[in-house]
Amino acid sequence: AQSVTQPDIHITVSEGASLELRCNYSYGATPYLFWYVQSPGQGLQLLLKYFSGDTLVQGIKGFEAEFKRSQSSFNLRKPSVHWSDAAEYFCAVVPKGFQGAQKLVFGQGTRLTINP
Amino acid sequence: DTEVTQTPKHLVMGMTNKKSLKCEQHMGHRAMYWYKQKAKKPPELMFVYSYEKLSINESVPSRFSPECPNSSLLNLHLHALQPEDSALYLCASSQSSGLAYEQYFGPGTRLTVT
């Protein structure tokens, strides 16, 4: 079945530590890939996107993501987290080959907690 | 400017009320979206408007009625809602409804149905 999977529901890291959030997708053709962040009670902010080209994508707030076709993954990374990074992170895809307006499909989200 | 605004921020309504949610963008985007998000869940697509025409309705109950009066505005009219409709309602827009365009989200309207 076509899906977006974020294997980690909740991750806790210490401030200043590195971070990697996992995202896997299952689609016949590589979809368009996105990471969004949502602070409590807020809307979603686009961190970065991958459409094609260089497989290492730089985003806002010091985040980057790496697309790995062989693993059907698009993992989000940050070298050193800050307390303000505590939020819910959603991986999302727009499947290709769909006739009509785009449908953004979200993973279940990963909640990030930062220890001081 | 990548801002999508939504009003009101919070709304409490009874099951017999009629209310409307409003969304606005001034980025020249031609596609606009309504999502519903329950607590601790990802957003779920409700409606898509492309060039002010409804192009996707994800089998949403008729008590939710979308309207796109012009390319900058998107409304969601609410009538006879149920308590289970309480959620965060998010609006988004994108340059086009084509596949390779990112969506920008508003801050949402927190709806409580009593």
Side-chain angles (χ1 to χ4, degrees), chain B residues 14-90:
Chain B
M15 290 189 284
T16 58
N17 291 159
K18 285 185 180 180
K19 297 286 185 183
S20 296
L21 310 184
K22 180 180 172 182
C23 173
E24 195 164 5
Q25 57 87 14
H26 294 288
M27 297 178 277
H29 288 178
R30 302 313 301 267
M32 297 185 77
Y33 311 78
W34 279 116
Y35 290 84
K36 174 182 177 180
Q37 186 179 26
K38 302 285 277 185
K40 301 187 187 302
K41 294 292 186 182
E44 296 176 350
L45 182 65
M46 300 174 72
F47 303 103
V48 180
Y49 272 83
S50 178
Y51 290 85
E52 296 136 62
K53 287 186 167 48
L54 182 66
S55 60
I56 293 179
N57 177 340
E58 291 287 86
S59 303
V60 178
S62 59
R63 57 185 183 269
F64 295 90
S65 175
E67 178 196 18
C68 190
N70 60 58
S71 60
S72 300
L73 274 176
L74 185 66
N75 298 321
L76 187 63
H77 303 298
L78 314 172
H79 172 57
L81 294 192
Q82 303 297 310
E84 60 264 29
D85 297 321
S86 298
L88 182 67
Y89 287 84
L90 294 163

Side-chain angles (χ1 to χ4, degrees), chain A residues 32 34 36 38 40-46 49 51 88 90 94-98 100-104 106-109 111, chain B residues 33 35 37 40-43 45 48 50 55-56 58 88 90 94 96-108 110:
Chain A
Y32 298 109
F34 306 85
Y36 283 88
Q38 186 177 33
Q42 301 296 313
L44 280 74
Q45 183 179 25
L46 178 66
K49 64 189 181 192
F51 289 170
E88 188 85 19
F90 291 100
V94 170
K96 294 177 183 174
F98 177 72
Q102 63 163 268
K103 288 190 178 186
L104 190 58
F106 289 89
Q108 289 300 302
R111 182 161 60 95
Chain B
Y33 311 78
Y35 290 84
Q37 186 179 26
K40 301 187 187 302
K41 294 292 186 182
L45 182 65
V48 180
S50 178
S55 60
I56 293 179
E58 291 287 86
L88 182 67
L90 294 163
S94 62
S96 162
S97 62
L99 301 185
Y101 294 95
E102 62 269 29
Q103 293 184 26
Y104 294 92
F105 284 78
R110 176 73 60 188

